[in-house]
């Protein structure tokens, strides 16, 4: 999967409390998995100073420390103990998120928790548990998608560590993750994942641009903007297919007819992608991984959660004079509106407010 499209589930739901729609076993695995990470933390500054630290690890920690300070001084993100420690988790992902959606609907199935509200996924520290839940949801008739997750946030309730999975690419990638996760600590609206994720992606995007500019990294800026452009075009492909599927699901017809039309729409999506990849992108295969696994309503819904409405937040940031404290205050005000009002109000914003 392309990094940046769906690389994290924003919060670790069910970390601290259980609701009626959560089993005790799910709560136990969430809490146990998180506590294991917390127990394995190593202080970043000590790793930098310790003579026996391998040079590659020291370089990573120095980059992480510098990015963390930039987040405080330049982006007005929380100055706390989050991302000041490190854990090598010795696996490809920290958690696995299970997304589900009805066979003929793009609305994700949600899970609700008292602390974080309702979220469109369920996270597991053990991939076997994720597969078990996915099979259960599939048996109930849902489309199901499992995504490996590289990082998560507890919204500052605990001192979240840096994870080895956050260092799988370059400094730009690491900066994006740190800025994104800290943004969740700055503003979080209970139960509105699309709002929260679009806001965090806006902070991530503007923050990375500011970070690269501050370092005079013109090559990095060009690469980042090219990546963002490809991502926007990919999201456009997904949006077109979502529109086609919405019409299919809303139209009268038998389940068999809808199923056939659905398969045809997903085939067209693959064809459009291959044409875009092989022509405009000159063969760039960055998104081949996304298309290598089955595409269904759950996968489309998961992708849209993290990418829809980002431009509206970036426009608000510009209306706020690219001043982060003013921007955060404005976002928090929108967050206090009723859910069915806040996104329309944001889209119609004429000033920072």
């Amino acid at each position: 999967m392309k990094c940046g499209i769906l690389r994290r589930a924003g919060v670790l739901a069910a970390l601290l409390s259980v609701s009626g729609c959560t089993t005790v076993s799910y709560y136990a695995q969430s809490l146990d998995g998180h506590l294991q990470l917390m127990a394995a933390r190593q202080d970043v500054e000590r790793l930098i100073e310790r003579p026996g630290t391998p040079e590659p690890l020291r370089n990573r920690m120095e980059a992480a420390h510098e990015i963390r300070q930039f987040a405080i001084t330049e982006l007005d993100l929380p100055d706390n103990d989050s991302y000041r420690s490190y854990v090598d988790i010795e696996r490809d992902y920290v958690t696995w998120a299970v997304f589900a959606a009805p066979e003929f609907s793009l609305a994700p199935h949600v899970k609700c928790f008292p602390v974080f509200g309702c979220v469109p996924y369920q996270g597991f520290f053990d991939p076997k548990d994720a597969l078990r839940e996915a099979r259960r949801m599939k048996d109930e008739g849902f489309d199901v998608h499992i995504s490996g997750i590289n990082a998560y946030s507890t919204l500052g309730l605990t001192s979240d560590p840096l994870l080895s999975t956050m260092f799988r690419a370059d400094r730009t990638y690491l900066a994006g993750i740190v800025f994104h996760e800290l943004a969740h600590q700055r503003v979080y609206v209970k139960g509105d994942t699309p709002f929260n994720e679009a806001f965090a992606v806006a902070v991530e995007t503007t923050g990375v641009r500011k970070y690269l500019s501050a370092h005079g990294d013109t090559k990095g800026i060009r690469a980042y903007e090219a990546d963002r452009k490809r991502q926007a075009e990919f999201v456009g492909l997904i949006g077109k297919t979502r529109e086609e599927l919405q019409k299919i699901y809303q139209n009268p017809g038998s389940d068999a007819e809808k199923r056939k039309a659905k398969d045809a729409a997903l085939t067209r999506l693959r064809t459009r992608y291959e044409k875009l990849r092989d022509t405009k992108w000159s063969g760039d295969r960055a998104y081949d991984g996304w298309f290598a696994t089955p595409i269904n309503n759950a996968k489309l819904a998961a992708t849209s959660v993290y990418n829809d409405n980002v431009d509206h937040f970036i426009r608000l940031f510009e209306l706020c004079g690219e001043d982060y404290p003013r921007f955060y205050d404005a976002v928090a005000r929108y967050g206090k509106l009723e859910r069915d009002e806040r996104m329309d109000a944001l889209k119609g914003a004429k000033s920072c407010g």
Side-chain angles (χ1 to χ4, degrees):
M1 177 175 294
K2 171 63 181 168
C3 297
I5 286 296
L6 180 55
R7 66 187 180 206
R8 62 182 75 81
V11 297
L12 181 63
L15 174 65
L16 299 178
S17 53
V18 183
S19 71
C21 59
T22 310
T23 64
V24 172
S25 62
Y26 177 69
Y27 167 69
Q29 69 85 30
S30 295
L31 186 60
D32 182 61
H34 180 70
L35 292 179
Q36 285 185 37
L37 292 182
M38 297 296 285
R41 290 175 298 169
Q42 300 181 74
D43 184 80
V44 167
E45 291 189 4
R46 290 179 183 175
L47 284 171
I48 293 172
E49 296 169 358
R50 192 175 67 191
T53 299
E55 197 61 25
L57 179 58
R58 177 178 287 107
N59 291 339
R60 288 180 174 184
M61 295 302 100
E62 288 174 345
H65 179 72
E66 189 258 338
I67 287 168
R68 185 67 181 87
Q69 291 305 117
F70 188 90
I72 297 166
T73 60
E74 301 300 324
L75 309 185
D76 198 46
L77 290 168
D79 183 0
N80 56 26
D81 289 334
S82 292
Y83 310 113
R84 297 186 187 277
S85 60
Y86 171 74
V87 178
D88 185 348
I89 63 173
E90 299 181 344
R91 59 181 187 263
D92 291 336
Y93 301 105
V94 61
T95 61
W96 286 260
V98 178
F99 295 83
E103 183 182 7
F104 301 123
S105 172
L106 292 165
H109 181 70
V110 299
K111 297 285 186 176
C112 300
F113 308 96
V115 174
F116 301 111
C118 297
V119 294
Y121 57 83
Q122 198 165 4
F124 297 88
F125 281 91
D126 188 330
K128 293 180 182 178
D129 291 336
L131 285 169
R132 190 176 299 113
E133 174 64 13
R135 284 194 294 268
R136 187 185 71 80
M137 296 299 292
K138 189 173 183 179
D139 288 344
E140 292 186 12
F142 287 93
D143 281 6
V144 177
H145 170 63
I146 300 177
S147 177
I149 304 300
N150 295 340
Y152 65 82
S153 170
T154 61
L155 308 182
L157 294 173
T158 63
S159 301
D160 300 325
L162 295 160
L163 306 173
S164 51
T165 48
M166 299 165 67
F167 292 85
R168 59 179 48 185
D170 57 13
R171 284 193 182 201
T172 301
Y173 179 76
L174 175 63
I177 291 183
V178 171
F179 299 160
H180 183 112
E181 301 304 342
L182 287 172
H184 284 310
Q185 296 186 22
R186 199 64 166 77
V187 180
Y188 182 80
V189 179
K190 183 177 178 179
D192 195 342
T193 298
F195 184 92
N196 293 325
E197 292 303 333
F199 160 68
V201 172
V203 174
E204 169 189 340
T205 302
T206 59
V208 167
R209 287 169 174 156
K210 188 177 181 72
Y211 175 76
L212 294 173
S213 295
H215 288 76
D217 188 355
T218 54
K219 182 178 179 180
I221 292 172
R222 286 196 299 270
Y224 184 69
E225 295 301 344
D227 182 69
R228 292 292 302 173
K229 187 173 186 294
R230 282 192 296 271
Q231 181 169 324
E233 290 168 345
F234 167 77
V235 171
L237 290 179
I238 300 300
K240 182 176 179 61
T241 298
R242 283 170 56 85
E243 290 175 0
E244 292 177 0
L245 290 173
Q246 289 280 22
K247 292 178 181 178
I248 291 168
Y249 301 153
Q250 292 169 0
N251 287 340
S254 67
D255 286 356
E257 290 170 333
K258 290 182 179 181
R259 208 166 282 129
K260 182 177 180 180
K262 174 183 178 180
D263 289 343
L266 296 179
T267 297
R268 287 194 296 273
L269 170 61
R270 290 183 181 278
T271 301
R272 291 188 192 111
Y273 166 68
E274 291 169 1
K275 181 179 180 180
L276 177 65
R277 179 196 65 193
D278 297 339
T279 57
K280 192 172 183 180
W281 291 1
S282 302
D284 186 299
R285 296 181 174 274
Y287 289 84
D288 276 10
W290 193 92
F291 285 91
T293 57
I295 304 172
N296 57 30
N297 292 337
K299 189 170 187 176
L300 295 173
T303 302
S304 67
V305 161
Y306 288 81
N307 296 280
D308 288 354
N309 301 310
V310 173
D311 288 345
H312 301 303
F313 281 95
I314 292 179
R315 188 174 67 86
L316 179 63
F317 177 65
E318 293 168 350
L319 289 172
C320 291
E322 301 188 356
D323 181 287
Y324 282 98
R326 289 184 66 206
F327 174 57
Y328 300 148
D329 288 345
V331 173
R333 287 194 296 272
Y334 283 109
K336 291 178 181 178
L337 299 175
E338 293 297 322
R339 178 165 183 167
D340 59 354
E341 299 176 357
R342 67 174 65 107
M343 195 55 71
D344 286 340
L346 175 65
K347 292 177 182 178
K350 296 291 190 292
S351 67
C352 188

